[in-house]
Coordinates of all heavy atoms in Angstrom, one line a residue:
M249 N 24.3 21.5 15.1 CA 23.4 20.3 15.3 C 23.2 19.7 13.9 O 22.6 20.4 13.0 CB 22.1 20.7 15.9 CG 21.2 19.6 16.1 SD 19.5 20.1 16.8 CE 19.9 21.0 18.2
P250 N 23.7 18.5 13.7 CA 23.6 17.9 12.3 C 22.2 17.5 12.0 O 21.4 17.1 12.8 CB 24.5 16.7 12.4 CG 24.6 16.3 13.8 CD 24.5 17.6 14.6
K251 N 21.8 17.7 10.7 CA 20.6 17.1 10.2 C 21.0 15.7 9.6 O 21.9 15.6 8.9 CB 20.0 18.0 9.1 CG 19.4 19.3 9.5 CD 18.7 20.0 8.4 CE 18.1 21.3 8.9 NZ 17.2 21.2 10.0
V252 N 20.2 14.7 10.0 CA 20.4 13.3 9.6 C 19.2 12.8 8.9 O 18.1 12.9 9.4 CB 20.7 12.4 10.8 CG1 21.0 11.0 10.4 CG2 21.9 13.0 11.6
T253 N 19.4 12.3 7.7 CA 18.3 11.8 6.9 C 18.4 10.2 7.0 O 19.4 9.6 6.7 CB 18.4 12.2 5.4 OG1 18.3 13.7 5.4 CG2 17.3 11.6 4.6
F254 N 17.2 9.7 7.3 CA 17.0 8.2 7.3 C 16.2 7.8 6.1 O 15.1 8.4 5.9 CB 16.3 7.8 8.6 CG 17.2 8.0 9.8 CD1 17.1 9.2 10.5 CD2 17.9 7.0 10.3 CE1 17.9 9.4 11.6 CE2 18.7 7.2 11.5 CZ 18.7 8.4 12.1
V255 N 16.7 6.9 5.3 CA 16.0 6.4 4.1 C 15.5 5.0 4.3 O 16.3 4.1 4.6 CB 16.9 6.5 2.9 CG1 16.2 6.1 1.6 CG2 17.5 7.9 2.7
Q256 N 14.2 4.8 4.2 CA 13.6 3.5 4.4 C 13.9 2.7 3.1 O 14.1 3.2 2.0 CB 12.1 3.7 4.6 CG 11.7 4.4 5.9 CD 12.1 3.7 7.2 OE1 12.2 2.5 7.2 NE2 12.3 4.5 8.2
P257 N 13.7 1.4 3.3 CA 13.9 0.5 2.1 C 13.0 0.8 0.9 O 13.4 0.5 -0.2 CB 13.6 -0.9 2.7 CG 13.9 -0.8 4.1 CD 13.6 0.6 4.5
D258 N 11.9 1.4 1.2 CA 11.0 1.8 0.1 C 11.3 3.1 -0.5 O 10.6 3.6 -1.4 CB 9.5 1.8 0.6 CG 9.2 2.9 1.6 OD1 10.1 3.7 1.9 OD2 8.0 3.0 2.0
G259 N 12.4 3.7 0.0 CA 12.8 5.0 -0.6 C 12.3 6.2 0.1 O 12.8 7.3 -0.2
S260 N 11.4 6.1 0.9 CA 10.9 7.2 1.7 C 11.9 7.7 2.7 O 12.7 6.9 3.2 CB 9.5 6.9 2.4 OG 9.8 5.9 3.4
E261 N 12.0 9.0 2.9 CA 13.0 9.5 3.8 C 12.4 10.5 4.8 O 11.5 11.2 4.5 CB 14.2 10.1 3.0 CG 13.8 11.1 2.0 CD 15.1 11.5 1.2 OE1 15.6 10.6 0.5 OE2 15.5 12.7 1.3
E262 N 13.1 10.6 5.9 CA 12.8 11.6 6.9 C 14.1 12.2 7.4 O 15.1 11.5 7.6 CB 12.1 11.0 8.1 CG 10.6 10.7 7.9 CD 10.0 10.1 9.2 OE1 9.5 10.9 10.0 OE2 10.0 8.9 9.2
T263 N 14.1 13.5 7.7 CA 15.3 14.2 8.2 C 15.0 14.7 9.6 O 13.9 15.3 9.8 CB 15.7 15.3 7.2 OG1 16.0 14.7 5.9 CG2 17.0 16.0 7.7
I264 N 15.9 14.5 10.5 CA 15.7 15.0 11.9 C 17.0 15.7 12.3 O 18.1 15.5 11.8 CB 15.4 13.9 12.9 CG1 16.6 12.8 12.9 CG2 14.1 13.2 12.6 CD1 16.4 11.8 14.0
D265 N 16.8 16.7 13.2 CA 17.9 17.3 13.8 C 18.4 16.5 15.0 O 17.6 16.1 15.8 CB 17.5 18.7 14.4 CG 17.2 19.7 13.2 OD1 17.9 19.7 12.3 OD2 16.1 20.4 13.4
V266 N 19.7 16.3 15.1 CA 20.3 15.4 16.1 C 21.2 16.3 17.0 O 22.2 16.8 16.4 CB 21.1 14.2 15.5 CG1 21.7 13.4 16.7 CG2 20.1 13.4 14.7
P267 N 20.9 16.5 18.2 CA 21.8 17.3 19.1 C 23.3 16.7 19.0 O 23.5 15.5 18.9 CB 21.2 17.1 20.5 CG 19.8 16.8 20.2 CD 19.8 16.0 19.0
D268 N 24.2 17.6 19.1 CA 25.6 17.2 19.0 C 25.9 16.1 20.1 O 25.5 16.3 21.3 CB 26.5 18.4 19.3 CG 26.5 19.4 18.2 OD1 25.8 19.2 17.2 OD2 27.2 20.4 18.3
G269 N 26.5 15.1 19.6 CA 26.9 14.0 20.6 C 25.9 13.0 20.9 O 26.2 12.0 21.5
K270 N 24.6 13.2 20.4 CA 23.6 12.2 20.7 C 23.7 11.1 19.8 O 23.7 11.3 18.5 CB 22.2 12.9 20.6 CG 21.1 11.9 21.0 CD 19.8 12.7 21.2 CE 18.8 11.7 21.8 NZ 17.7 12.4 22.4
P271 N 23.7 9.8 20.2 CA 23.7 8.7 19.3 C 22.6 8.7 18.3 O 21.4 9.0 18.7 CB 23.6 7.5 20.3 CG 24.2 8.0 21.6 CD 23.7 9.4 21.7
F272 N 22.9 8.4 17.1 CA 21.8 8.5 16.1 C 20.7 7.5 16.3 O 19.6 7.8 16.0 CB 22.5 8.2 14.7 CG 23.4 9.3 14.2 CD1 24.2 9.1 13.1 CD2 23.5 10.5 14.9 CE1 25.0 10.1 12.6 CE2 24.3 11.5 14.4 CZ 25.1 11.3 13.3
M273 N 21.0 6.4 16.9 CA 19.9 5.4 17.3 C 18.9 6.1 18.2 O 17.7 6.0 18.0 CB 20.6 4.2 17.9 CG 19.6 3.1 18.3 SD 18.8 3.4 19.9 CE 20.1 2.9 21.0
L274 N 19.4 6.7 19.3 CA 18.5 7.3 20.2 C 17.7 8.5 19.6 O 16.5 8.7 19.8 CB 19.3 7.8 21.4 CG 19.9 6.7 22.3 CD1 20.7 7.4 23.4 CD2 18.8 5.8 22.9
A275 N 18.4 9.2 18.7 CA 17.7 10.4 18.1 C 16.6 9.8 17.1 O 15.6 10.4 17.0 CB 18.7 11.2 17.3
A276 N 16.9 8.7 16.4 CA 15.9 8.1 15.5 C 14.7 7.7 16.3 O 13.6 7.9 15.9 CB 16.6 7.0 14.8
Q277 N 14.9 7.0 17.4 CA 13.8 6.6 18.2 C 13.0 7.7 18.7 O 11.8 7.7 18.7 CB 14.3 5.7 19.4 CG 14.8 4.4 18.9 CD 15.2 3.4 20.0 OE1 15.5 3.9 21.1 NE2 15.1 2.1 19.8
A278 N 13.7 8.8 19.2 CA 13.0 10.0 19.7 C 12.2 10.7 18.6 O 11.2 11.3 18.8 CB 13.9 10.9 20.4
G279 N 12.7 10.6 17.4 CA 12.1 11.2 16.3 C 11.1 10.4 15.5 O 10.6 10.8 14.5
G280 N 10.8 9.2 16.0 CA 9.8 8.4 15.4 C 10.2 7.7 14.1 O 9.3 7.4 13.3
I281 N 11.5 7.5 13.9 CA 11.9 6.8 12.7 C 11.7 5.3 12.8 O 12.1 4.7 13.8 CB 13.4 7.1 12.5 CG1 13.8 8.6 12.5 CG2 13.9 6.4 11.2 CD1 13.2 9.3 11.3
D282 N 11.0 4.8 11.9 CA 10.7 3.3 11.9 C 12.0 2.6 11.5 O 12.8 3.1 10.7 CB 9.6 3.0 10.9 CG 8.3 3.4 11.4 OD1 8.1 3.4 12.6 OD2 7.4 3.6 10.6
G283 N 12.1 1.4 12.0 CA 13.2 0.5 11.5 C 14.5 0.6 12.2 O 15.4 -0.1 11.9
I284 N 14.6 1.4 13.3 CA 15.7 1.4 14.2 C 15.3 0.8 15.5 O 14.6 1.5 16.3 CB 16.3 2.8 14.4 CG1 16.7 3.4 13.0 CG2 17.5 2.8 15.4 CD1 18.0 2.9 12.5
L285 N 15.5 -0.5 15.7 CA 15.0 -1.1 16.9 C 15.7 -0.8 18.2 O 15.2 -0.5 19.2 CB 14.9 -2.6 16.7 CG 14.1 -3.0 15.4 CD1 13.9 -4.5 15.4 CD2 12.7 -2.4 15.4
G286 N 17.0 -0.9 18.1 CA 17.9 -0.6 19.3 C 17.5 -1.4 20.5 O 17.4 -0.9 21.6
E287 N 17.4 -2.7 20.4 CA 16.9 -3.6 21.5 C 17.9 -3.6 22.7 O 17.4 -3.9 23.8 CB 16.7 -5.0 20.9 CG 15.5 -5.1 20.0 CD 15.1 -6.5 19.8 OE1 15.9 -7.4 20.0 OE2 13.9 -6.7 19.5
C288 N 19.1 -3.4 22.5 CA 20.1 -3.4 23.7 C 20.2 -2.1 24.3 O 21.0 -1.9 25.3 CB 21.4 -4.0 23.2 SG 22.4 -2.9 22.3
G289 N 19.6 -1.1 23.8 CA 19.7 0.3 24.4 C 20.9 1.0 24.0 O 21.2 2.0 24.7
G290 N 21.7 0.5 23.1 CA 22.8 1.3 22.6 C 24.2 0.7 23.1 O 25.2 1.4 23.1
Q291 N 24.2 -0.5 23.5 CA 25.4 -1.1 24.1 C 26.2 -1.9 23.0 O 27.1 -2.7 23.4 CB 25.0 -2.1 25.2 CG 24.2 -1.4 26.3 CD 25.0 -0.3 27.0 OE1 26.1 -0.4 27.4 NE2 24.4 0.9 27.0
A292 N 25.8 -1.8 21.8 CA 26.5 -2.6 20.7 C 26.4 -4.1 21.0 O 27.4 -4.8 20.8 CB 28.0 -2.1 20.6
M293 N 25.3 -4.5 21.4 CA 25.1 -5.9 21.7 C 23.9 -6.5 21.0 O 23.5 -7.7 21.3 CB 24.9 -6.1 23.2 CG 26.1 -5.7 24.0 SD 25.9 -5.8 25.8 CE 25.4 -7.5 26.0
C294 N 23.3 -5.9 20.0 CA 22.1 -6.5 19.4 C 22.1 -6.4 17.9 O 21.5 -7.2 17.2 CB 20.8 -5.9 19.9 SG 20.5 -4.2 19.4
A295 N 22.7 -5.4 17.3 CA 22.8 -5.1 15.9 C 21.4 -4.8 15.2 O 21.3 -5.0 14.0 CB 23.5 -6.3 15.1
T296 N 20.5 -4.4 16.1 CA 19.2 -4.0 15.5 C 19.0 -2.5 15.2 O 18.0 -2.0 15.0 CB 18.0 -4.4 16.5 OG1 18.1 -3.7 17.7 CG2 18.0 -5.9 16.7
C297 N 20.2 -1.9 15.2 CA 20.2 -0.4 14.8 C 21.1 -0.3 13.6 O 21.6 0.8 13.3 CB 20.7 0.4 16.0 SG 22.4 0.0 16.4
H298 N 21.3 -1.4 12.8 CA 22.1 -1.4 11.6 C 21.7 -0.4 10.6 O 20.5 -0.2 10.3 CB 22.0 -2.8 11.0 CG 22.9 -3.1 9.8 ND1 22.5 -4.0 8.9 CD2 24.0 -2.5 9.3 CE1 23.4 -4.1 8.0 NE2 24.3 -3.1 8.2
V299 N 22.6 0.4 10.0 CA 22.4 1.3 8.9 C 23.5 1.2 7.9 O 24.6 0.8 8.3 CB 22.3 2.8 9.4 CG1 21.0 3.0 10.3 CG2 23.5 3.2 10.2
Y300 N 23.2 1.7 6.7 CA 24.2 1.8 5.7 C 24.5 3.3 5.5 O 23.6 4.1 5.3 CB 23.7 1.2 4.4 CG 23.4 -0.2 4.4 CD1 22.1 -0.7 4.3 CD2 24.4 -1.2 4.7 CE1 21.8 -2.1 4.4 CE2 24.1 -2.5 4.7 CZ 22.8 -3.0 4.6 OH 22.5 -4.3 4.6
V301 N 25.7 3.7 5.7 CA 26.1 5.1 5.8 C 26.5 5.6 4.4 O 27.2 5.0 3.6 CB 27.3 5.3 6.7 CG1 27.8 6.7 6.7 CG2 26.9 4.8 8.1
D302 N 26.0 6.8 4.1 CA 26.4 7.5 2.9 C 27.9 7.5 2.8 O 28.6 8.0 3.7 CB 25.8 9.0 3.1 CG 26.1 9.8 1.9 OD1 26.7 9.4 0.9 OD2 25.6 11.0 1.9
E303 N 28.4 7.0 1.7 CA 29.8 6.8 1.5 C 30.7 8.1 1.8 O 31.8 8.0 2.3 CB 30.2 6.2 0.2 CG 29.3 5.1 -0.2 CD 30.0 3.7 -0.2 OE1 31.2 3.7 -0.2 OE2 29.3 2.7 -0.1
G304 N 30.1 9.2 1.4 CA 30.9 10.4 1.5 C 31.2 10.8 3.0 O 32.0 11.7 3.2
F305 N 30.5 10.2 3.9 CA 30.6 10.6 5.3 C 31.4 9.5 6.1 O 31.7 9.7 7.3 CB 29.3 10.8 6.0 CG 28.6 12.1 5.6 CD1 27.8 12.2 4.5 CD2 28.8 13.2 6.4 CE1 27.2 13.4 4.2 CE2 28.3 14.4 6.1 CZ 27.4 14.5 5.0
L306 N 31.8 8.4 5.4 CA 32.4 7.3 6.2 C 33.7 7.8 6.9 O 33.9 7.4 8.1 CB 32.8 6.2 5.2 CG 31.6 5.3 4.8 CD1 32.1 4.3 3.8 CD2 30.9 4.6 6.0
G307 N 34.5 8.6 6.3 CA 35.7 9.1 6.9 C 35.5 10.1 8.0 O 36.5 10.4 8.7
K308 N 34.3 10.6 8.2 CA 34.1 11.6 9.3 C 33.4 10.9 10.5 O 33.2 11.6 11.5 CB 33.1 12.6 8.7 CG 33.7 13.4 7.5 CD 32.7 14.4 7.0 CE 33.2 15.1 5.8 NZ 32.3 16.0 5.2
L309 N 33.2 9.6 10.4 CA 32.5 9.0 11.6 C 33.5 8.6 12.6 O 34.7 8.4 12.4 CB 31.8 7.7 11.1 CG 30.7 8.0 10.1 CD1 30.1 6.6 9.6 CD2 29.6 8.8 10.8
P310 N 33.0 8.4 13.9 CA 33.9 7.9 14.9 C 34.5 6.5 14.5 O 33.8 5.8 13.8 CB 33.0 7.7 16.1 CG 31.7 8.3 15.8 CD 31.7 8.6 14.3
E311 N 35.7 6.2 14.9 CA 36.3 5.0 14.5 C 35.5 3.8 15.1 O 34.9 3.9 16.1 CB 37.7 4.9 15.1 CG 38.6 3.9 14.4 CD 40.0 4.1 14.7 OE1 40.5 5.3 14.8 OE2 40.7 3.1 14.9
M312 N 35.4 2.7 14.3 CA 34.7 1.5 14.8 C 35.4 0.8 15.9 O 36.6 0.4 15.7 CB 34.4 0.6 13.6 CG 33.5 -0.5 13.9 SD 33.3 -1.7 12.5 CE 32.5 -0.6 11.3
A313 N 34.8 0.5 17.0 CA 35.4 -0.2 18.1 C 35.2 -1.7 17.8 O 34.4 -2.1 16.9 CB 34.7 0.1 19.4
E314 N 36.0 -2.5 18.4 CA 35.9 -4.0 18.2 C 34.6 -4.6 18.4 O 34.1 -5.4 17.7 CB 37.0 -4.7 19.0 CG 37.1 -6.1 18.7 CD 38.2 -6.9 19.5 OE1 39.0 -6.2 20.2 OE2 38.2 -8.1 19.5
D315 N 33.9 -4.1 19.5 CA 32.6 -4.7 19.8 C 31.6 -4.4 18.7 O 30.7 -5.3 18.3 CB 32.0 -4.3 21.2 CG 32.0 -2.8 21.4 OD1 32.5 -2.1 20.5 OD2 31.4 -2.4 22.4
E316 N 31.6 -3.2 18.1 CA 30.7 -2.9 17.0 C 31.1 -3.8 15.8 O 30.2 -4.4 15.1 CB 30.9 -1.4 16.6 CG 30.0 -1.1 15.4 CD 30.1 0.4 15.0 OE1 30.8 1.1 15.6 OE2 29.4 0.7 14.0
D317 N 32.4 -3.9 15.5 CA 32.8 -4.8 14.4 C 32.3 -6.2 14.5 O 31.8 -6.8 13.6 CB 34.3 -4.7 14.3 CG 34.9 -5.3 13.0 OD1 34.2 -5.3 12.0 OD2 36.1 -5.6 13.0
V318 N 32.4 -6.7 15.7 CA 31.9 -8.1 16.0 C 30.4 -8.2 15.8 O 29.9 -9.1 15.1 CB 32.3 -8.5 17.4 CG1 31.6 -9.8 17.8 CG2 33.8 -8.7 17.5
M319 N 29.7 -7.2 16.3 CA 28.2 -7.3 16.2 C 27.8 -7.1 14.7 O 26.7 -7.7 14.3 CB 27.5 -6.2 17.0 CG 27.4 -6.5 18.5 SD 26.8 -8.1 18.9 CE 25.2 -8.1 17.9
L320 N 28.5 -6.4 13.9 CA 28.1 -6.2 12.5 C 28.2 -7.5 11.7 O 27.7 -7.6 10.6 CB 29.0 -5.1 11.9 CG 28.5 -3.7 12.2 CD1 29.6 -2.7 11.8 CD2 27.2 -3.4 11.5
E321 N 28.9 -8.5 12.3 CA 28.9 -9.8 11.7 C 27.6 -10.6 11.9 O 27.4 -11.7 11.4 CB 30.1 -10.7 12.2 CG 31.4 -10.1 11.8 CD 31.6 -10.1 10.3 OE1 31.1 -10.9 9.6 OE2 32.3 -9.1 9.9
D322 N 26.7 -10.0 12.7 CA 25.5 -10.7 13.1 C 24.2 -9.9 12.7 O 23.2 -10.0 13.4 CB 25.5 -10.9 14.6 CG 24.7 -12.1 15.0 OD1 24.4 -13.0 14.2 OD2 24.3 -12.2 16.2
T323 N 24.3 -9.1 11.7 CA 23.1 -8.3 11.3 C 22.2 -9.2 10.5 O 22.5 -10.2 9.9 CB 23.6 -7.2 10.4 OG1 24.4 -7.7 9.3 CG2 24.4 -6.1 11.2
A324 N 20.9 -8.8 10.5 CA 19.8 -9.5 9.8 C 20.0 -9.4 8.3 O 19.8 -10.4 7.6 CB 18.5 -9.0 10.2
C325 N 20.4 -8.3 7.9 CA 20.7 -8.0 6.5 C 22.2 -8.0 6.2 O 23.0 -7.7 7.2 CB 20.1 -6.7 6.0 SG 18.3 -6.9 5.8
E326 N 22.6 -8.2 5.0 CA 24.0 -8.3 4.7 C 24.8 -7.1 5.2 O 24.4 -6.0 5.0 CB 24.1 -8.4 3.2 CG 25.5 -8.5 2.7 CD 25.6 -8.5 1.1 OE1 24.6 -8.1 0.5 OE2 26.7 -8.8 0.6
R327 N 26.0 -7.4 5.8 CA 26.9 -6.4 6.1 C 27.6 -5.9 4.8 O 28.1 -6.7 4.1 CB 28.0 -6.9 7.1 CG 29.0 -5.9 7.5 CD 30.0 -6.4 8.4 NE 30.9 -5.3 8.9 CZ 31.9 -5.5 9.8 NH1 32.0 -6.6 10.4 NH2 32.6 -4.4 10.1
L328 N 27.7 -4.6 4.7 CA 28.4 -4.0 3.5 C 29.5 -3.2 4.1 O 29.6 -2.9 5.3 CB 27.4 -3.2 2.7 CG 26.2 -3.9 2.1 CD1 25.3 -2.9 1.4 CD2 26.7 -5.0 1.1
P329 N 30.4 -2.7 3.2 CA 31.6 -1.9 3.7 C 31.1 -0.6 4.4 O 31.9 -0.1 5.2 CB 32.3 -1.6 2.4 CG 32.0 -2.7 1.5 CD 30.6 -3.1 1.8
N330 N 29.9 -0.1 4.1 CA 29.5 1.1 4.8 C 28.5 0.8 5.9 O 27.7 1.7 6.3 CB 28.8 2.0 3.7 CG 27.6 1.4 3.0 OD1 27.5 0.2 3.0 ND2 26.8 2.3 2.5
S331 N 28.4 -0.4 6.4 CA 27.6 -0.8 7.5 C 28.1 -0.2 8.8 O 29.3 -0.3 9.1 CB 27.5 -2.3 7.6 OG 26.7 -2.9 6.6
R332 N 27.2 0.3 9.6 CA 27.6 0.7 11.0 C 26.4 0.5 11.9 O 25.3 0.3 11.4 CB 27.9 2.2 11.0 CG 29.2 2.6 10.3 CD 30.5 2.1 10.9 NE 30.7 2.4 12.3 CZ 31.5 3.4 12.7 NH1 32.2 4.1 11.8 NH2 31.7 3.6 14.0
L333 N 26.6 0.5 13.2 CA 25.6 0.5 14.2 C 25.3 1.9 14.6 O 26.2 2.6 15.0 CB 26.0 -0.3 15.4 CG 26.3 -1.8 15.2 CD1 26.8 -2.5 16.5 CD2 25.1 -2.5 14.6
S334 N 24.0 2.3 14.4 CA 23.7 3.7 14.6 C 23.8 4.2 16.0 O 23.9 5.3 16.4 CB 22.3 4.1 14.0 OG 21.3 3.3 14.6
C335 N 23.8 3.2 17.0 CA 24.0 3.5 18.4 C 25.4 4.0 18.7 O 25.7 4.6 19.7 CB 23.6 2.4 19.3 SG 24.6 0.9 19.2
Q336 N 26.3 3.6 17.8 CA 27.7 4.0 18.0 C 28.1 5.2 17.2 O 29.3 5.6 17.2 CB 28.6 2.8 17.6 CG 28.3 1.5 18.3 CD 28.4 1.7 19.8 OE1 29.5 2.0 20.3 NE2 27.4 1.4 20.5
L337 N 27.1 5.9 16.6 CA 27.4 7.0 15.7 C 26.8 8.3 16.4 O 25.7 8.3 16.8 CB 26.8 6.9 14.3 CG 27.2 5.6 13.6 CD1 26.5 5.6 12.2 CD2 28.7 5.6 13.4
S338 N 27.7 9.3 16.5 CA 27.2 10.6 16.9 C 28.2 11.6 16.4 O 29.3 11.2 15.9 CB 27.1 10.7 18.4 OG 28.3 10.5 19.0
G339 N 27.9 12.8 16.5 CA 28.9 13.8 16.1 C 28.2 15.2 16.1 O 27.2 15.5 16.8
G340 N 28.8 16.1 15.4 CA 28.4 17.5 15.3 C 28.2 18.0 13.9 O 27.8 17.2 13.0
D341 N 28.5 19.2 13.7 CA 28.3 19.8 12.4 C 29.0 19.1 11.2 O 28.6 19.2 10.1 CB 28.7 21.3 12.4 CG 27.7 22.1 13.2 OD1 26.6 21.6 13.5 OD2 28.1 23.2 13.6
E342 N 30.1 18.4 11.5 CA 30.9 17.7 10.5 C 30.0 16.6 9.8 O 30.3 16.2 8.7 CB 32.2 17.2 11.0 CG 32.1 15.9 11.8 CD 31.6 16.1 13.2 OE1 31.2 17.2 13.6 OE2 31.6 15.1 14.0
L343 N 29.0 16.2 10.5 CA 28.1 15.2 9.9 C 26.8 15.8 9.4 O 25.9 15.0 9.1 CB 27.8 14.1 11.0 CG 29.0 13.4 11.5 CD1 28.6 12.3 12.5 CD2 29.8 12.7 10.3
D344 N 26.7 17.1 9.3 CA 25.4 17.7 8.8 C 25.1 17.2 7.4 O 26.0 17.2 6.5 CB 25.6 19.2 8.9 CG 24.3 19.9 8.5 OD1 23.2 19.4 9.0 OD2 24.3 20.9 7.8
G345 N 23.9 16.7 7.2 CA 23.6 16.2 5.9 C 23.8 14.7 5.6 O 23.5 14.2 4.6
I346 N 24.3 14.0 6.6 CA 24.5 12.6 6.5 C 23.3 11.8 6.2 O 22.2 12.2 6.7 CB 25.2 12.0 7.7 CG1 25.8 10.6 7.5 CG2 24.3 12.0 8.9 CD1 26.7 10.1 8.6
V347 N 23.4 10.8 5.3 CA 22.3 10.0 5.0 C 22.5 8.6 5.4 O 23.6 8.0 5.2 CB 22.1 10.0 3.4 CG1 20.9 9.0 3.0 CG2 21.8 11.4 2.9
L348 N 21.6 8.0 6.1 CA 21.6 6.6 6.7 C 20.5 5.8 6.0 O 19.3 6.2 6.2 CB 21.5 6.6 8.2 CG 22.5 7.5 8.9 CD1 22.2 7.5 10.4 CD2 24.0 7.1 8.7
R349 N 20.9 4.8 5.3 CA 19.9 3.9 4.7 C 19.6 2.7 5.6 O 20.5 2.1 6.1 CB 20.3 3.4 3.3 CG 20.5 4.6 2.4 CD 21.0 4.2 1.0 NE 21.4 5.4 0.3 CZ 20.6 6.3 -0.2 NH1 19.3 6.1 -0.2 NH2 21.0 7.4 -0.8
L350 N 18.3 2.4 5.8 CA 17.9 1.3 6.6 C 17.9 0.0 5.9 O 17.5 0.0 4.7 CB 16.6 1.6 7.3 CG 16.7 2.5 8.5 CD1 16.7 3.9 8.1 CD2 15.6 2.2 9.5
P351 N 18.3 -1.1 6.5 CA 18.2 -2.4 5.8 C 16.7 -2.8 5.8 O 15.9 -2.3 6.4 CB 19.0 -3.3 6.7 CG 19.0 -2.6 8.1 CD 18.9 -1.2 7.8
E352 N 16.5 -3.9 5.0 CA 15.1 -4.4 4.9 C 14.6 -4.9 6.2 O 13.4 -4.8 6.5 CB 15.1 -5.6 3.9 CG 15.4 -5.2 2.4 CD 14.1 -4.5 1.8 OE1 13.0 -4.7 2.3 OE2 14.3 -3.9 0.7
E353 N 15.5 -5.4 7.0 CA 15.0 -5.9 8.3 C 16.1 -5.9 9.3 O 17.3 -5.8 8.9 CB 14.5 -7.4 8.2 CG 15.5 -8.3 7.6 CD 14.8 -9.7 7.3 OE1 13.7 -9.9 7.6 OE2 15.6 -10.5 6.7
Q354 N 15.8 -5.8 10.6 CA 16.8 -5.7 11.7 C 16.8 -7.0 12.5 O 17.7 -7.2 13.3 CB 16.4 -4.6 12.6 CG 16.5 -3.2 11.9 CD 17.9 -2.7 11.8 OE1 18.9 -3.4 11.8 NE2 18.0 -1.4 11.5
L355 N 15.9 -7.9 12.3 CA 15.8 -9.1 13.1 C 15.9 -10.4 12.2 O 15.3 -10.3 11.1 CB 14.5 -9.2 14.0 CG 14.5 -8.2 15.1 CD1 13.1 -8.2 15.8 CD2 15.5 -8.4 16.2
Ligands
FES200 S1 21.2 -0.6 19.8 FE1 21.9 -2.6 20.1 S2 23.7 -2.6 18.8 FE2 22.9 -0.6 18.6

């Protein structure tokens, strides 16, 4: 079960255990992490679960599908090379220790 750290724009951070295969967006909401809105429920249709992924883990993430790629063009904060939608991210021990930075805003 990976530990996932969410870093807020002010630098504060929280680490939660995410069951294998559970989307990080859902785990963040269940864990009371602020700043992950997830308005579409995880369908890659809202971009309100945008995160910036720790560069060292980019190659270990599930491949980006076209719908995620399209939605990332519509984020409230700038899309960067390490931008992903946290509803499309899940995994197991290979992602243990991953750090996800939240953007200043999601809407
Ligand atoms: S929850 Fe809507 S795109 Fe991730």
Side-chain angles (χ1 to χ4, degrees):
M249 184 184 304
K251 288 188 182 301
V252 179
T253 298
F254 293 86
V255 181
Q256 298 293 335
D258 69 2
S260 63
E261 54 184 66
E262 280 182 88
T263 300
I264 59 173
D265 292 317
V266 178
D268 289 0
K270 182 163 188 162
F272 292 170
M273 179 277 283
L274 293 177
Q277 290 186 331
I281 305 291
D282 286 334
I284 301 283
L285 304 185
E287 288 195 336
C288 75
Q291 302 301 307
M293 292 174 63
C294 72
T296 62
C297 63
H298 180 205
V299 292
Y300 300 114
V301 177
D302 184 357
E303 312 253 340
F305 284 88
L306 284 176
K308 299 178 180 176
L309 295 176
E311 201 167 321
M312 187 183 297
E314 187 179 347
D315 54 353
E316 180 182 0
D317 194 22
V318 169
M319 280 313 306
L320 280 168
E321 293 299 327
D322 206 22
T323 53
C325 285
E326 181 185 11
R327 179 181 185 173
L328 298 176
N330 61 338
S331 287
R332 294 293 304 258
L333 298 178
S334 58
C335 68
Q336 302 301 302
L337 304 180
S338 63
D341 289 341
E342 77 282 6
L343 297 181
D344 187 41
I346 192 171
V347 177
L348 305 177
R349 296 179 193 284
L350 279 84
E352 290 282 345
E353 54 189 358
Q354 296 281 19
L355 291 173

